[in-house]
């Protein structure tokens, strides 16, 4: 969007909420730089493998554990596979898992949170109890147990399903809290008084009011999902080899700390960088949307 | 107030039952623990049936749950399927190790984190603030196990200063106490750095935003207007009120003391609680895994109650209705 367009007044002669958010975000230098780098990273991992036809799973034992050189700019792993190519393909998987899990758990959480907060009653009580129980059970063993079940053959799909199934509770609680305060507003009461159906109230009034929380939550969440994927993969329960992900490229990295440290650096640095950028962007978005948010 | 505490305590019961249900049925979903024996040609089907009968696995899953539940609330957590040891004993061995690491890291990160958070809020946008905000970003964005590996590369591989894992040099069992402590310390430096960095970041961020919120309050302006010294204002008005949400977080993170950082313990091969639970889950050692998770969850439930009650006591504005 160009500058003139962003600053154009809307029909009522004032800036709309999203225009204000966008102008405020543009002034947040760190967040904007992070956004551009993230877009660049996504473009690179999505498009570069389309044009560079090197198989990331091609085993070449004669080339195993080569340090970085002009031929293999990030070196090769224990099967002689090019680390840089695997990093690109792994980035696709890690980012896909990050986005997909955030999207599905967000969708579910927003839906449950809105409904629980608006309707109160039994569903609300149930949600709060589930929330407390999920908070008390440590997450990692649960994820490991779920990852060990063999109900979906594709490990990437399985990982997305499992992590979405466990990840919706936090955002549901946040949305519920937000809904609780919005539903007491007078315009909601007015809508009810003129007979607007519940579905329309939720859709037109409550959902837009919870958008800021959802977007900031999602941005901060993606990084955490990528770290969680890496942690599960470190235990050998994430994305299954030979499909590379930033997490499973670190599987067995502990054995190489003595000889081939580049195998530890690159995937970890990628995770660190992407998570850091998403956090910067999320903080910028929070400041632009609602600085009072505690996320 | 009494009513509130009582009701809060009563909620524990359904929540406890919920946790046991989730833990038990999740593990029973993992499948038949005797499946591997069935493929073994040297074990006859009748032997397997006898084994199943011995361990009660011929009964329906609901019934097994009740057996397990009532044995557990009497303090019998069962035995490990891998070593045959009692679960209580295994937890008793792992717990002190985790505790000794965690009490240390918890205290350090609590004080350092709150101090950093307070300083950077009072001097918002100063160099100090930017520096520590930057570090805390790294603390949050870094996968713990990877940070551990990087430390190992630095201290063990490059500098040859610290051992890469374990908790004791072989042969040190009968050494004098001081030497044993020095030996143990060498093994714990890196795990402590890894665990502390993450939690210092959390404490600092939390304190910072809490203090920043208090600094904007009207009563802080009033306190300044009536001529209190800045030190007095910060100590008596800002810090005291900023502590309220931190106390809740304090009690919420208490169970972490016993839970142990599973990932860090795994990376540094420390036989603590976290590793015990994770290894048990990996080896299908249900009794140990469930016992560990239940222990952890119960302590967390109790801490949640204490946190709620403490919060109500500290902050008189909270209504206990």
């Amino acid at each position: 969007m160009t500058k003139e367009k962003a600053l154009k007044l809307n029909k009522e002669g004032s800036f709309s909420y999203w225009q204000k958010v966008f102008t405020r975000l543009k002034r947040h230098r760190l967040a904007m730089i992070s956004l551009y780098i993230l877009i660049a990273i996504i473009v690179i991992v999505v498009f570069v493998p389309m044009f560079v036809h090197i198989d990331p799973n091609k085993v070449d034992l004669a080339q195993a554990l080569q340090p970085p050189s002009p031929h293999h700019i990030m070196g090769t792993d224990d099967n002689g596979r090019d680390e840089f190519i695997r990093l690109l393909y792994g980035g696709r998987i890690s980012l896909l898992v990050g986005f997909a899990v955030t999207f599905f758990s967000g969708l579910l959480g927003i839906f449950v949170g809105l409904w629980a907060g608006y309707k109160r009653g039994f569903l609300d009580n149930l949600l709060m109890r589930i929330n407390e129980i999920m908070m008390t059970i440590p997450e990692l063993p649960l994820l490991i147990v779920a990852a060990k079940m063999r109900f979906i053959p594709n490990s990437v799909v399985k990982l997305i399903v499992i992590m979405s199934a466990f990840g919706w509770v936090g955002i549901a609680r946040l949305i519920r809290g937000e809904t609780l305060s919005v539903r007491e507003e007078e315009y909601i009461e007015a809508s009810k008084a003129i007979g607007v159906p519940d579905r329309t109230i939720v859709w037109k009034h409550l959902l837009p009011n919870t958008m800021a929380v959802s977007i900031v939550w999602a941005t901060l969440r993606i990084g955490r999902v990528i770290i969680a994927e890496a942690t599960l993969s470190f235990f050998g329960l994430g994305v299954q080899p030979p499909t590379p992900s930033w997490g499973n490229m670190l599987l067995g990295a502990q054995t190489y700390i003595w000889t081939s440290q580049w195998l530890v650096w690159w995937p970890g640095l990628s995770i660190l960088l992407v998570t850091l950028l998403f956090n910067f962007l999320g903080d910028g978005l929070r400041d632009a949307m609602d600085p009072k948010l505690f996320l | 107030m009494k009513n509130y505490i009582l009701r809060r305590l009563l909620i524990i019961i359904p929540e406890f039952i919920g946790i046991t249900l989730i833990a038990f049925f999740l593990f029973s979903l993992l499948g038949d623990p005797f499946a591997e024996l069935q493929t073994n040609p040297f074990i006859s089907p009748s032997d397997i049936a006898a084994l199943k009968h011995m361990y009660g696995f011929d009964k329906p899953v609901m019934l097994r749950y009740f057996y397990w539940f009532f044995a557990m609330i009497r303090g019998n957590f069962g035995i490990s399927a891998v070593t045959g040891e009692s679960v209580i004993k295994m937890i008793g061995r792992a717990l002190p190790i985790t505790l000794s690491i965690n009490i240390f890291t918890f205290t350090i990160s609590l004080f350092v984190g709150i101090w950093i958070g307070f300083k950077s809020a009072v001097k918002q946008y100063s160099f100090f603030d930017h520096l520590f905000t930057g570090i805390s970003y790294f603390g949050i964005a870094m996968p713990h196990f990877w940070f551990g590996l990087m430390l190992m590369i630095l201290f063990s591989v490059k500098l040859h200063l610290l051992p890469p894992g374990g908790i004791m040099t072989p042969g040190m069992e009968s050494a004098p106490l001081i030497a044993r402590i020095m030996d143990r310390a060498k093994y714990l430096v890196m795990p402590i750095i890894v665990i502390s960095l993450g939690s210092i970041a959390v404490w600092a961020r939390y304190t910072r935003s809490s203090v920043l919120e208090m600094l904007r309050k009207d009563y802080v302006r009033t306190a300044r207007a009536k001529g209190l010294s800045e030190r007095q204002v910060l100590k008596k008005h800002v810090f005291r009120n900023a502590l309220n949400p931190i106390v809740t977080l304090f009690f919420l993170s208490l169970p972490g003391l016993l839970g142990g950082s599973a990932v860090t313990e795994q990376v540094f091969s420390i036989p603590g609680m976290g590793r015990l639970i994770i290894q048990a889950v990996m080896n299908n050692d249900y009794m140990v895994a469930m016992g560990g998770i239940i222990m952890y969850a119960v302590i967390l439930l109790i801490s949640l109650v204490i946190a709620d009650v403490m919060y109500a006591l500290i902050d008189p504005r909270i209504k206990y209705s």
Side-chain angles (χ1 to χ4, degrees), chain A residues 30 128-129 132-138 140-146 148-149 166 220 224 227 230-232 234-237 247 250 253-254 256-259 261 264-269 271-273 275-276 279-280 283-284 286 291-292 294-295, chain B residues 8 11 14-15 18-19 22-23 25-27 29-30 134 137-138 140-146 149-150 152-153 156-158 160 164 205-206 209-210 213 216 252 262-263 266-269 277-278 280-284 293 296-297 300-301 304 308:
Chain A
L30 189 58
M128 293 320 284
R129 291 293 87 78
E132 267 173 39
I133 290 173
M134 294 283 243
M135 263 174 71
T136 38
I137 300 183
L140 193 61
L142 274 194
L143 282 175
I144 292 179
V145 171
K148 282 185 76 173
M149 290 180 205
F166 286 113
L220 296 173
R224 287 186 209 154
I227 292 184
T231 308
L232 271 182
F234 183 67
F235 288 107
L237 294 164
L250 285 167
Q254 196 157 5
Y256 300 117
I257 60 167
W258 301 98
T259 50
Q261 290 113 3
V264 186
W265 292 339
W266 305 121
L269 280 176
I271 296 170
L272 175 65
L273 178 69
T275 312
L276 210 53
N279 282 345
F280 288 147
D283 276 12
R286 180 188 50 207
K292 293 195 302 290
F294 259 111
L295 273 177
Chain B
R8 197 62 196 73
I11 293 178
E15 279 176 352
I19 290 163
I22 291 182
F25 286 103
L26 205 70
F27 282 104
L29 279 178
L30 268 180
Y137 268 113
F138 274 89
I140 288 165
M142 198 138 42
H144 275 184
F145 69 91
W146 184 70
L149 292 178
M150 296 304 277
M152 264 187 218
I153 289 180
S156 306
V157 180
K158 300 278 179 206
H160 300 289
R205 274 174 74 104
Y206 212 79
S209 46
S210 177
E213 198 193 326
R216 282 194 286 264
L252 285 182
V263 180
Q266 184 76 19
V267 171
F268 292 103
S269 332
I277 295 178
I278 298 299
V281 177
M282 302 276 246
N283 298 332
N284 290 350
I293 289 177
Y296 177 84
L300 185 55
L301 275 181
L304 279 173
D308 277 1

Side-chain angles (χ1 to χ4, degrees), chain B residues 193-299:
Chain B
I193 295 177
V194 173
I195 302 173
S196 304
L197 184 78
S199 45
I200 286 178
V202 173
W203 287 112
R205 274 174 74 104
Y206 212 79
T207 312
R208 181 174 179 272
S209 46
S210 177
V211 170
L212 278 179
E213 198 193 326
M214 292 308 146
L215 280 171
R216 282 194 286 264
K217 289 276 155 92
D218 286 341
Y219 59 75
V220 173
R221 192 167 14 148
T222 312
R224 284 195 180 123
K226 73 178 181 188
L228 285 185
S229 69
E230 188 62 20
R231 208 187 142 72
Q232 286 278 323
V233 174
L234 290 180
K235 207 170 105 191
K236 291 235 167 105
H237 294 266
V238 176
F239 190 61
R240 172 67 185 77
N241 283 300
L243 272 185
N244 287 357
I246 295 167
V247 170
T248 312
L249 189 65
F250 174 82
F251 283 101
L252 285 182
S253 43
L254 268 190
L257 275 178
L258 303 158
S261 167
V263 180
T264 314
E265 291 185 357
Q266 184 76 19
V267 171
F268 292 103
S269 332
I270 296 165
M273 277 298 279
R275 191 152 189 249
L276 181 75
I277 295 178
I278 298 299
Q279 292 285 339
V281 177
M282 302 276 246
N283 298 332
N284 290 350
D285 197 351
Y286 306 132
M287 285 303 185
V288 178
M290 289 192 296
I293 289 177
I294 299 291
M295 283 279 268
Y296 177 84
V298 166
I299 292 159

Side-chain angles (χ1 to χ4, degrees), chain B residues 2-17:
Chain B
K2 225 186 229 162
N3 262 336
Y4 172 76
I5 296 177
L6 194 68
R7 212 150 24 93
R8 197 62 196 73
L9 281 172
L10 284 178
I11 293 178
I12 290 188
I13 297 169
E15 279 176 352
F16 176 69
I17 295 173

Side-chain angles (χ1 to χ4, degrees), chain B residues 14 19 24 33 43 48 51 72 79 100 115 118 124 129 147-148 150 153 167 197 217 225 254 262 293:
Chain B
I19 290 163
F24 188 86
I43 298 175
I48 295 174
L51 270 175
M72 187 186 60
I79 57 165
S100 66
W115 181 76
F118 186 70
Q124 198 184 5
D129 183 27
F147 183 47
M150 296 304 277
I153 289 180
I167 52 165
L197 184 78
K217 289 276 155 92
L254 268 190
I293 289 177

